[in-house]
C-alpha cells in the first residue's frame, strides 16, 4: 500500500507504421518493385506505393537505415534531393546543440519537400503513428488511417523533454487549431483514430477487417492501401478536394483566432497552466509554446528556425537526458529477463478484496485470466467486486470498451468467501492485513488447498518475504509482488525474491506482471525491499520538518517545486498515516537510528485520533467529498506543538529542506544498490519514479547523483550530518562516486 | 435436433415405432437414380405444403395491420390450400424477431384468429441470442440493418422426430411497418413510480421531475448488441475482407431482381397466396422486385461505410412485412391423410461464430457441415437456396467456401443452380418468415427442375447460421 502518486504518463516510442503513396503519372503501368530491408517501392497503375516497415522491430523506429532508404526512394520517386532525419538514438549520438539543430533542419527540409510535392502524397496509417511518424504524416496532403485500437497518433516528444522538431510545431496548429495543437504537443498523449478524424488530423478512416482471403492483419493493410490508392487518384482527378469546406463553427473560430489579443490570451493561459503543472522544471513545454507562437505570429521562416534551434537546445538538456533514460528504462523493465515460465498462469486467486486485492483483480480479469477474488466477509467482497465493476464500467463510459466487452470480461471474475476452485489456481496473491501472524495462517490455509505447482505471492509493502515464507512448506514457490495503489493507475510492480525463491517462480511472477501491463523491477528481500525503504527516511525527514514548524502546505510546495508530482504531506495522507507509522516503526527497528528523524509518536498520535489520511477523511489535511480544495487539518497543530523541535537556521532554508528530504531518499537508494537489494541503477530509477513519484525530470535517484554530482551531494549531506547525525551519513558507494568523478551509475 | 446417432435411446424408440411403415416406404424411394437419405430407424419427415403472404416493402399496403394479422393470413392460406381439418394439427410454432409487445406469443394469437382449434398449443420462437435489439430502420427509409431468419420448423421437425407430434404447422412473421418505440428509461421509471405513488403530493412531485430529456423516445437499437456494429457495416467489412467489389455486388443484386421478376412473371412463385387486406385491395404479388440497371445502381452512395464502402441500398435486402407458414408431417401421417408430400426434410445444422468479423458467414460454416452429415458433396446438390441478406454477404460466402484460408474444401455452389427464383434481395426479407420461404422454394424448385437434393443456408444476427438438406419426394 504505497504511494498514491502518478508519475509519468506513458512514454511512447517515436514510431511510425504507415505507407505513403505517390501518384506518378509518368511511370508505365508495369509493376516493378525492388526490395530494401526497410523501405520498399512499387508502382500500381498510376500510383507509386512506398511501404515503410522495419523488419527488425514491431514498431517502426525512424532509424538511420530507414531514413537512408527512405531518402533513396524519395529520390527515385521524385528525382529530387531528399535528406535524412533524426531518431532518438541519433540525437544522443550528437555532441553539440548545433549538430542536433542541423538534424532537425534536415528533417524540416525533407518534410517541406513532401508537403510541396507536385504529386499528391497520401499517408496510410496503421498502428502507432507517433513523433517523427506523425510529422511525416502531417506533411502529406492526405491521411487515411485504420480505425483500429492499435492505431494511435501523437507527438510524445514532450515526454522525452523534446519538441516535435521536424515541422510539427508549425504544421499542427494550422491543421487542428491552436488549442488542440497545444493539447497534443504539451501532453504528448495518444490520440485514437476516431478522435483524430474528428480533430481533422486524418481525413478518412478505414475499418479493420476480419479473416477473409488473407489473415485479418494482412487483408486490413491491403484494404487500407486500396482505399489510399483510390484517394490518391481521387485527389489527382479533383474528385477529392484537399481544402475542406469549413463549417460555421470553424469559420467563427478562425475569425476569433484572427485577433492578436485572443491568441495572446491563449498563449498566456497555456503558459500559466504549464508553469503551474511543471513548476518550470521542464523546459520542453515552454519551448513548444515559444515555437508555436513564433510560427503563428512571425511566419514560417522564423517559426521553423525557432523550432530547429529549440530542438537543438532541448536535446542537450539534462531533463531530456533524464526522460529519455526513463524511456529506455521503462522499455527494459517491460521485458522478462528470467525467461519464459514453465507454465502460464491461467487461473489466479486473490485473497482479500480490499483496495489492493480488487485493484489486482481489476488489472487481471481483462487479460483473459480466470480470477478468483476471495474475502472473508460478504460486505468486503461486495465492495471489491463493485470496484472491479466500476473500473470496467468507467472504461465503458469512456467508450474504451463496449458494455458487452465489460460483461464478458467480468465473466472471468469469481467472487467468493471460500477456497473452492483454489485446487486449480496457478498463482495466489494475498492482499490481506499486514500482520505476520495473519499472513502465516493464510500461507498454511492456501497451501492445503492449492496444487503443488501453485505460486504464493504476497502483496506486502514492508514485511520481509522470507519471514512470510517461514510458514511455507515450499518456500521456492513464495515470492513478493508489491503493487502500488491505485493498482489500475500505477504502472510499477516491485517483485521481491528471497534466496529460496526459484527462478521459475520469479519468471512466472514477472510474466503475470507484464500481462497486467506493469513496469517491473525485481529486487532482493529485506525490510521495506527497495521502494518502501527509500520512502521511509524521506517521510521521517518530512515529519521532522513538520515538527520544526513548517506548515504541511509549505512542505508540499517545497517537494512539488523540486519535481515530485505529489507533496510529502499529501503523500503521507495518500499512503495512510497508519501505514506510514507502521512502516516507520518496523523499519526503525530493522535499521536503527538511521531511519530516525521525525518522532514516530507524531504519526502514532495522529492515528490514535483517527487521522489516518485520505481514507479516514482527515490526516495532514481535511478531505471532504466533492471538495477539491482541502485545508490543513487544524487539529494536527496541537500535536506538532507538543513535539515541536527548534529548527537550526543553518540547514533550514527552503533549498536545504528540499535536499534534506531528497538526499535521504537518494542515499538509501544507493545503499540498496550497494547491498544488492537492487539489481541495477536502472531498476532503481524506474522504481523510484514510477512507484514513488521521484521527480521524472531528474530521471531517478541514480541519474540524479550522476547529473548533480556525487561529490556535491556528499558535501551537502556532511553539513546535515554535522547537525542531525547518522541519518545523513553517505553510504560507501556514494562516497566512492564522490571520490572519483569518472564513476557514473549510467554510462 | 434430429440425431439418432447422438441419442441412442431415441433410436431404439423410433426404430421400434417405425419398423412397419418406414421400411416399406423406403423401397419406393430407392427407385430413384441417386441414393436416398432415408435411414433405417429414422422417421421420414415431409413438407406437405408451404405458403406465404406476398412480401411487401414495409410501410406499403400492410402498414395498418398488426403482426398477427399477417401470420393469420398465412395460416388461413395454408388451411385453405391443404384443406386440413382445424383440429388435425398437433402443434403450431411461429418465429419472429421484433416482437409486438401486445402479442408476444404471436403464434397463439394468430392460430386462434385463423380458426385453429383452441386445443392446439402454440409458441413463438426467436433464435437464441436474438433479443429485441434487432433490425430497424433509421426512420428515413433506409435499408434494413439486421437480417434474421428464424427457423421455427426445425423445432417442428424435432417434435415429429421425437414422436411427440405427427402434424405441425410452422411459420414466421415479421412486421416492420410498426415497431415498438419506447419511452426513455428515465420516463418509464417515473411512470412506474407514479403507479406506486400514494398521495397527490408524491404524484405531483414525480410529474414535476419530468424534464425534456425524459421525453426523447428510445428507438430499437440498430446495432448488434454484442459488438455495437450494424449488420450493414459488418457486411461491408466482410465484403472488403473477401475482396468483393462494388460491381460484383451490384451484379448479384441485379441478378436477384431479374430472376425474381422472371419467376414472378412465369408464375413460379406458387407459395404466394392472395390476401385481402382490410380496408385495402387484394394483394397477390411481392412488391419489392425492381430490376434496375447497373448504371442506376452505380449512382447510389454507400449506405454504411462512407465514402469508400461498397454496400448500398440497392445491393442490400430491404425492410419487409410478410408471413409464411408450412405444414410438416411424418410421412406415414401425411400419406394416411391422403396428402402428396412435396419434399423430405433431411439433415440440418446450426452453426455460430464470431459476431464481429464473421457475423454473416453462417452459410460458409453450415454448408460443409450439413453436407458431411448427409454424406453428400456439393455436386450432389441440384438446388441451392441461400438467404440473401446483402449481395456482398453472398459473394463473400461464395468466396470463403472457395478459399484456402477457410480450408472448407467443399467448393462453391454453381450459379446455374443458385437462387434461381430470386432471393431475399429482391423478394424481400421479413426476418422471421424467410426461413419457411427458402424451404418451400427448394421443394418447388426440386419439383419443377427435377432434381433430387436441395440445400438451404442462411446467416443470422449474433453470428449464427444454419443449413438444411431437402430431398425431393418421389413424384
Amino acid at each position: 500500500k504505497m504511494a498514491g502518486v502518478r508519475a509519468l504518463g506513458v512514454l511512447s516510442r517515436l514510431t511510425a507504421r504507415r505507407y505513403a503513396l505517390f501518384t506518378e503519372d509518368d511511370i508505365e503501368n508495369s509493376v516493378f518493385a525492388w526490395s530494401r530491408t526497410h523501405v520498399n517501392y512499387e508502382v500500381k497503375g498510376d500510383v507509386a506505393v512506398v511501404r515503410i516497415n522495419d523488419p527488425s522491430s514491431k514498431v517502426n523506429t525512424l532509424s538511420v537505415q530507414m531514413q537512408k532508404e527512405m531518402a533513396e526512394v524519395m529520390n527515385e520517386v521524385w528525382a529530387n534531393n531528399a535528406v535524412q532525419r533524426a531518431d532518438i538514438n541519433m540525437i544522443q549520438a550528437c555532441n553539440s546543440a548545433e549538430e542536433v539543430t542541423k538534424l532537425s533542419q534536415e528533417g524540416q527540409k525533407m518534410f517541406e519537400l513532401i508537403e510541396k510535392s507536385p504529386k499528391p502524397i497520401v499517408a496510410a496509417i496503421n498502428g502507432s503513428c507517433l513523433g517523427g511518424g506523425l510529422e511525416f504524416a502531417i506533411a502529406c496532403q492526405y491521411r487515411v488511417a485504420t480505425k483500429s485500437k492499435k492505431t494511435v497518433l501523437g507527438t510524445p516528444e514532450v515526454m522525452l523533454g523534446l519538441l516535435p522538431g521536424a515541422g510539427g510545431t508549425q504544421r499542427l496548429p494550422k491543421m487542428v487549431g491552436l488549442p488542440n495543437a497545444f493539447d497534443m504537443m504539451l501532453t504528448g498523449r495518444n490520440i485514437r483514430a476516431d478522435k483524430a478524424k474528428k480533430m481533422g488530423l486524418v481525413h478518412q478512416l478505414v475499418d479493420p477487417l476480419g479473416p477473409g482471403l488473407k489473415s485479418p492483419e494482412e487483408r486490413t493493410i491491403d484494404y487500407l492501401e486500396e482505399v489510399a490508392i483510390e484517394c490518391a487518384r481521387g485527389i489527382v482527378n479533383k474528385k477529392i478536394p484537399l481544402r475542406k469546406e469549413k463549417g460555421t463553427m470553424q469559420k467563427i473560430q478562425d475569425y476569433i483566432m484572427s485577433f492578436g489579443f485572443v491568441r495572446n490570451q491563449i498563449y498566456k493561459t497555456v503558459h500559466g497552466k504549464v508553469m503551474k503543472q511543471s513548476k518550470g522544471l521542464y523546459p520542453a513545454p515552454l519551448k513548444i509554446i515559444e515555437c508555436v507562437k513564433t510560427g503563428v505570429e512571425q511566419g514560417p521562416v522564423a517559426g521553423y528556425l525557432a523550432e530547429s534551434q529549440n530542438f537543438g537546445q532541448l536535446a542537450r538538456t539534462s531533463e531530456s537526458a533524464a526522460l529519455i533514460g526513463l524511456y529506455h528504462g521503462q522499455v527494459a523493465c517491460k521485458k522478462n529477463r528470467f525467461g519464459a515460465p514453465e507454465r502460464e498462469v491461467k487461473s489466479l486467486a486473490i485473497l482479500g478484496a480490499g483496495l489492493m486485492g480488487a485493484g489486482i483483480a481489476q488489472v487481471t480479469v481483462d487479460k483473459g485470466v480466470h480470477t478468483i477474488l476471495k474475502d472473508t466477509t460478504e460486505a468486503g467482497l461486495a465492495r471489491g467486486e463493485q470496484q472491479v465493476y466500476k473500473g470496467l464500467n468507467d472504461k465503458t463510459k469512456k467508450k474504451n470498451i463496449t458494455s458487452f466487452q465489460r460483461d464478458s470480461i467480468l465473466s472471468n471474475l469469481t467472487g467468493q468467501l471460500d477456497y473452492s476452485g483454489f485446487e486449480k489456481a496457478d498463482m495466489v496473491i494475498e492482499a490481506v492485513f499486514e500482520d505476520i501472524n495473519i499472513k502465516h495462517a493464510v500461507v498454511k490455509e492456501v497451501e492445503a488447498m492449492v496444487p503443488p505447482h501453485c505460486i504464493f505471492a504476497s502483496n506486502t509493502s514492508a514485511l520481509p518475504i522470507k519471514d512470510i515464507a517461514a510458514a511455507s512448506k515450499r518456500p521456492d514457490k513464495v515470492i513478493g509482488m508489491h503493487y502500488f495503489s491505485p493498482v489500475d493507475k500505477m504502472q510499477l510492480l516491485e517483485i521481491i525474491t528471497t534466496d529460496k525463491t526459484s527462478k521459475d517462480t520469479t519468471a512466472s511472477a514477472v510474466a503475470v506482471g507484464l500481462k497486467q501491463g506493469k513496469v517491473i523491477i525485481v529486487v532482493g528481500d529485506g525490510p521495506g525491499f527497495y521502494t518502501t525503504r527509500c520512502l521511509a527516511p524521506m517521510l521521517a525527514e518530512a515529519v521532522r520538518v513538520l515538527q520544526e514548524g513548517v506548515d504541511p502546505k509549505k512542505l508540499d510546495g517545497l517537494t512539488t517545486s523540486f519535481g515530485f508530482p505529489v507533496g510529502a504531506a499529501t503523500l503521507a495522507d495518500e499512503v495512510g498515516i497508519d501505514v506510514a507509522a507502521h512502516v516507520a516503526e518496523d523499519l526503525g527497528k530493522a535499521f536503527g537510528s538511521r531511519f530516525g528523524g521525525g518522532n514516530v509518536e507524531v504519526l502514532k498520535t495522529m492515528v490514535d485520533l483517527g487521522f489516518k489520511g485520505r481514507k479516514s477523511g482527515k490526516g495532514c489535511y481535511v478531505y471532504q467529498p466533492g471538495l477539491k480544495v482541502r485545508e490543513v487539518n487544524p487539529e494536527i497543530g496541537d500535536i506538532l506543538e507538543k513535539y515541536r523541535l527548534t529548527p537550526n537556521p543553518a540547514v533550514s532554508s527552503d533549498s536545504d529542506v528540499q535536499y534534506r528530504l531528497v538526499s535521504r531518499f537518494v542515499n538509501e537508494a544507493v545503499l540498496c544498490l550497494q547491498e544488492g537489494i537492487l539489481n541495477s541503477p536502472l531498476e532503481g530509477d524506474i522504481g523510484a519514479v514510477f512507484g514513488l513519484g521521484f521527480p521524472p525530470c531528474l530521471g531517478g535517484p541514480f541519474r540524479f547523483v550522476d547529473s548533480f554530482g556525487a561529490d556535491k551531494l556528499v558535501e551537502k549531506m556532511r553539513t546535515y550530518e554535522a547537525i542531525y547525525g547518522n541519518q545523513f551519513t553517505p553510504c560507501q558507494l556514494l562516497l566512492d562516486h564522490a571520490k572519483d568523478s569518472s564513476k557514473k551509475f549510467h554510462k | 435436433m434430429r440425431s439418432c446417432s447422438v441419442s441412442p435411446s431415441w433410436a431404439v424408440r423410433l426404430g421400434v415405432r417405425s419398423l412397419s411403415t418406414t421400411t416399406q416406404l423406403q423401397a419406393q424411394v430407392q427407385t430413384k437414380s441417386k441414393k436416398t437419405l432415408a435411414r433405417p430407424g429414422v422417421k421420414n419427415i415431409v413438407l406437405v405444403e408451404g405458403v406465404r403472404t406476398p412480401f411487401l416493402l414495409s410501410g406499403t399496403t400492410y402498414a395498418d395491420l398488426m403482426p398477427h394479422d399477417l401470420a393469420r393470413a398465412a395460416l388461413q392460406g395454408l388451411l385453405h390450400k391443404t384443406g386440413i381439418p382445424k383440429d388435425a394439427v398437433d402443434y403450431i410454432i411461429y418465429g419472429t424477431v421484433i416482437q409486438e409487445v401486445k402479442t408476444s406469443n404471436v403464434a397463439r394469437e394468430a392460430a386462434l384468429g385463423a380458426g385453429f382449434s383452441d386445443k392446439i398449443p402454440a409458441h413463438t420462437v426467436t433464435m437464441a441470442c436474438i433479443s429485441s435489439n434487432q433490425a430497424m430502420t433509421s426512420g428515413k427509409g433506409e435499408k434494413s440493418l439486421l437480417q434474421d431468419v428464424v427457423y421455427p420448423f426445425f423445432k417442428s421437425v424435432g417434435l415429429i422426430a421425437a414422436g411427440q407430434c405427427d402434424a405441425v404447422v410452422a411459420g414466421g412473421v415479421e412486421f416492420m411497418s410498426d415497431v415498438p418505440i419506447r419511452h426513455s428509461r428515465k420516463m418509464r421509471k417515473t411512470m412506474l413510480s407514479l403507479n406506486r405513488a400514494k398521495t397527490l403530493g408524491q404524484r405531483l412531485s414525480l410529474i414535476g421531475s419530468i424534464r425534456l430529456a425524459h421525453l426523447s423516445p428510445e428507438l430499437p437499437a440498430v446495432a448488434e448488441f454484442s459488438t455495437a456494429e450494424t449488420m450493414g457495416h459488418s457486411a461491408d467489412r466482410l465484403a472488403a475482407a473477401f475482396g468483393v467489389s462494388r460491381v460484383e455486388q451490384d451484379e448479384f443484386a441485379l441478378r436477384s431482381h431479374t430472376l425474381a421478376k422472371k419467376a414472378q412473371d412465369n408464375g413460379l412463385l406458387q407459395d404466394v397466396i392472395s390476401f385481402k387486406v382490410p380496408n385495402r385491395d387484394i394483394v397477390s404479388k411481392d412488391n419489392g422486385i425492381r430490376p434496375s440497371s447497373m448504371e442506376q445502381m452505380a449512382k447510389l452512395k454507400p449506405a454504411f461505410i462512407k465514402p469508400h464502402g461498397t454496400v448500398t441500398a440497392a445491393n442490400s435486402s430491404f425492410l419487409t412485412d410478410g408471413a409464411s407458414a408450412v405444414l410438416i408431417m411424418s410421412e406415414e401421417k401425411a400419406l394416411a391423410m391422403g396428402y402428396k408430400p412435396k419434399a423430405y426434410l433431411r439433415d440440418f445444422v446450426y452453426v455460430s461464430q464470431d459476431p464481429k468479423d464473421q457475423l454473416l458467414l453462417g452459410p460458409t460454416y453450415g454448408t460443409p457441415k450439413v453436407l458431411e452429415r448427409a454424406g453428400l458433396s456439393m455436386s450432389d446438390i441440384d438446388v441451392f437456396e441461400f438467404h440473401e441478406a446483402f449481395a456482398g454477404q453472398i459473394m463473400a460466402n461464395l468466396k470463403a467456401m472457395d478459399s484456402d484460408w477457410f480450408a472448407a474444401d467443399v467448393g462453391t455452389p454453381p450459379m446455374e443452380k443458385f437462387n434461381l427464383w430470386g432471393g431475399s434481395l429482391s423478394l424481400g426479407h421479413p426476418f422471421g418468415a424467410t426461413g419457411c420461404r427458402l424451404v418451400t422454394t427448394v421443394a418447388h424448385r426440386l419439383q419443377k427442375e427435377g432434381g433430387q437434393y436441395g440445400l438451404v443456408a442462411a446467416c443470422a444476427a449474433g453470428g449464427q447460421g444454419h443449413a438444411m438438406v431437402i430431398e425431393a419426394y418421389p413424384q
Side-chain angles (χ1 to χ4, degrees), chain B residues 58 97-99 130-148 174-182 217-224 229-233 303-304 317-321 390 429 431 461:
Chain B
S58 61
V97 173
I98 302 221
Q99 292 198 324
I130 298 170
S131 54
S132 61
N133 313 287
Q134 294 290 351
M136 252 309 292
T137 157
S138 66
K140 290 171 196 145
E142 274 192 20
K143 291 293 146 184
S144 76
L145 307 180
L146 297 200
Q147 325 281 327
D148 288 281
E174 208 64 49
F175 187 67
M176 299 305 292
S177 292
D178 183 32
V179 291
I181 296 172
R182 303 197 290 180
E218 200 174 283
L219 296 166
V222 206
E224 187 81 0
E229 185 184 26
T230 63
M231 196 176 267
H233 197 278
F304 302 98
S317 54
F318 48 87
L319 287 185
T320 315
D321 299 339
F390 300 87
H429 174 38
F431 309 142

Side-chain angles (χ1 to χ4, degrees), chain A residues 144 147 204-216 218-219 223 226-227 402-405 407, chain B residues 225-228 233 236-243 305-309 357-358 361 399 403 405-406:
Chain A
V144 187
K147 201 173 160 186
Q204 202 168 316
L205 294 182
V206 172
D207 286 279
L209 301 180
L213 296 177
K214 290 180 180 172
S215 75
E218 271 182 279
R219 182 60 198 133
Y223 182 45
E226 286 162 22
V227 172
T402 65
S403 61
F404 185 82
Q405 282 169 319
D407 298 347
Chain B
F225 184 70
S226 61
T227 60
H233 197 278
D236 206 322
R237 288 197 304 113
L238 187 73
F242 285 94
I305 294 184
K306 294 158 189 172
H308 55 267
D357 288 331
Q358 305 191 14
L361 279 182
K399 293 199 181 194
S403 78
W405 215 86
F406 279 84

